[in-house]
Amino acid sequence: MPRHFLNILDLTKDEAHAVLHRSKALKDGKVRTTMLDGKTVILIFEKASTRTRVSFEVAVRHLGGQTVFLTPHESQLGRNEPLKDTARVLSRYADALVVRTFGQEKLETLVEWGSIPVVNALTDEHHPCQVMSDVLTMYERTPELCALKVGWIGDGNNMAHSWIEAAAQFGFELTLACPSGYTPDLGILAKARGLGARIVLTEDPMLAAKGADYLNTDVWASMGQEAEQLRREAAFEGYQLNDSLMSLAKPGCKVMHCLPAHRGEEISDEVFEANADMIFDEAENRLHMQKAILEWVFEAL
């Protein structure tokens, strides 16, 4: 049976830690392998991308494989062919799918009707590769993850959902500060808490910042939400990650951002530049983490 990576809880806790340690080893050793020699990974991207596309293409090549890149504009994906038909056809051509799309249900359809692994490169519900890379970025600096307090300030979006699941896997304390009407999915939150995650949900960004070892944020209006920009700016007033909030954090607190950043909105330019090394380490770590995830996926085959 193919192994899929649709969200962080698709890994067992032991697997999550093994993938984390492997990603660091791949980075530290500048490792190249032939694990995917002769294999082809199709990248299906319905959302534009810089980091996700490049990091996955390079990751596959570092493992000895090759990629095919598809968007709706140059395939039947944009011409209303049933997704279940696409899944069955592509399963006969390639060895895995890496998908960046809108609804999580599209990945589930590809899994149901296809016969090859599916990796979630981003949906509106989860962004697991990014947050696993963020965990790697913290782990490089503070290996005792379970001793950390992490703050999330902003939208209860796909990133927040994946941080919630990461808290269940890695044991750090997570406080999410989200304005009313923009909280994360309560079912995802309840599942993580049921697995032992230490998570606080609040509307107060100062509570998330207080005593934090790491602070994290994301754009207020994600791709596909451009029409909501003005309404979201009003709702997120006071949620900018700036020097005022940083003053409440633990001395030496580091800031993360998945990029691209809208400086002057969710994060001030001063805070961004003060943490640029950390933020661009995050971006680099997409490459190393995704190699480890691909290795995990293909180990089952």
Side-chain angles (χ1 to χ4, degrees):
M1 293 290 293
R3 182 182 274 175
H4 308 288
F5 184 67
L6 305 190
N7 60 66
I8 290 175
L9 294 184
D10 281 339
L11 303 166
T12 66
K13 189 167 290 191
D14 286 345
E15 288 171 337
H17 284 265
V19 168
L20 174 64
H21 297 153
R22 177 59 175 164
S23 66
K24 189 173 189 308
L26 289 168
K27 179 179 182 178
D28 291 347
K30 299 181 180 179
V31 174
R32 308 288 189 274
T33 78
T34 58
M35 185 180 196
L36 299 187
D37 185 33
K39 291 184 168 59
T40 299
V41 176
I42 296 179
L43 309 181
I44 299 176
F45 278 45
E46 293 189 305
K47 288 188 174 185
S49 168
T50 300
R51 283 155 291 278
T52 302
R53 177 180 177 178
V54 174
S55 60
F56 263 113
E57 291 215 26
V58 175
V60 171
R61 284 163 172 73
H62 280 189
L63 299 180
Q66 58 185 345
T67 60
V68 174
F69 184 74
L70 289 180
T71 73
H73 302 295
E74 66 255 1
S75 69
Q76 296 297 333
L77 291 166
R79 297 184 177 88
N80 297 318
E81 179 178 35
L83 193 56
K84 63 182 183 181
D85 292 356
T86 298
R88 286 179 283 191
V89 169
L90 295 182
S91 292
R92 296 174 182 235
Y93 294 154
D95 300 282
L97 303 176
V98 172
V99 186
R100 180 178 171 93
T101 187
F102 292 90
Q104 188 82 7
E105 71 279 356
K106 291 189 175 184
L107 299 186
E108 294 164 358
T109 298
L110 291 168
V111 167
E112 179 182 0
W113 291 94
S115 57
I116 57 177
V118 176
V119 175
N120 181 359
L122 175 142
T123 65
D124 290 344
E125 188 169 315
H126 295 281
H127 201 354
C129 293
Q130 176 67 61
V131 172
M132 286 292 291
S133 304
D134 296 349
V135 173
L136 169 60
T137 309
M138 294 193 304
Y139 178 72
E140 290 179 301
R141 290 160 172 80
T142 46
E144 293 296 323
L145 293 173
C146 61
L148 298 178
K149 178 182 177 183
V150 179
W152 173 266
I153 296 173
D155 195 9
N157 60 9
N158 52 1
M159 283 288 294
H161 292 159
S162 289
W163 272 107
I164 288 167
E165 294 188 341
Q169 297 286 41
F170 297 103
F172 52 81
E173 180 183 346
L174 177 66
T175 301
L176 302 110
C178 309
S180 177
Y182 296 92
T183 55
D185 183 283
L186 296 183
I188 292 172
L189 182 60
K191 183 175 182 180
R193 283 173 168 164
L195 294 170
R198 296 177 294 153
I199 300 174
V200 174
L201 179 60
T202 179
E203 294 181 16
D204 185 356
M206 292 189 291
L207 182 61
K210 186 176 180 180
D213 297 285
Y214 292 91
L215 288 171
N216 204 335
T217 189
D218 192 9
V219 296
W220 291 341
S222 298
M223 200 175 303
Q225 298 172 335
E226 292 82 1
E228 304 175 29
Q229 178 69 32
L230 294 178
R231 178 163 59 86
R232 284 174 169 266
E233 286 179 9
F236 286 87
E237 185 177 359
Y239 285 79
Q240 183 186 87
L241 193 44
N242 53 28
D243 287 336
S244 177
L245 282 180
M246 290 297 296
S247 70
L248 302 173
K250 188 176 293 185
C253 174
K254 296 294 186 181
V255 168
M256 292 185 282
H257 196 300
C258 60
L259 300 177
H262 294 173
R263 305 182 196 204
E265 291 185 15
E266 77 278 358
I267 189 169
S268 70
D269 186 67
E270 294 77 13
V271 169
F272 184 97
E273 289 300 337
N275 292 273
D277 287 347
M278 177 87 175
I279 291 168
F280 290 107
D281 277 353
E282 277 181 88
E284 177 189 345
N285 284 344
R286 292 290 301 276
L287 169 64
H288 310 296
M289 177 54 69
Q290 286 159 189
K291 284 192 286 186
I293 289 168
L294 287 167
E295 285 189 342
W296 175 81
V297 164
F298 278 95
E299 278 177 358
L301 301 180

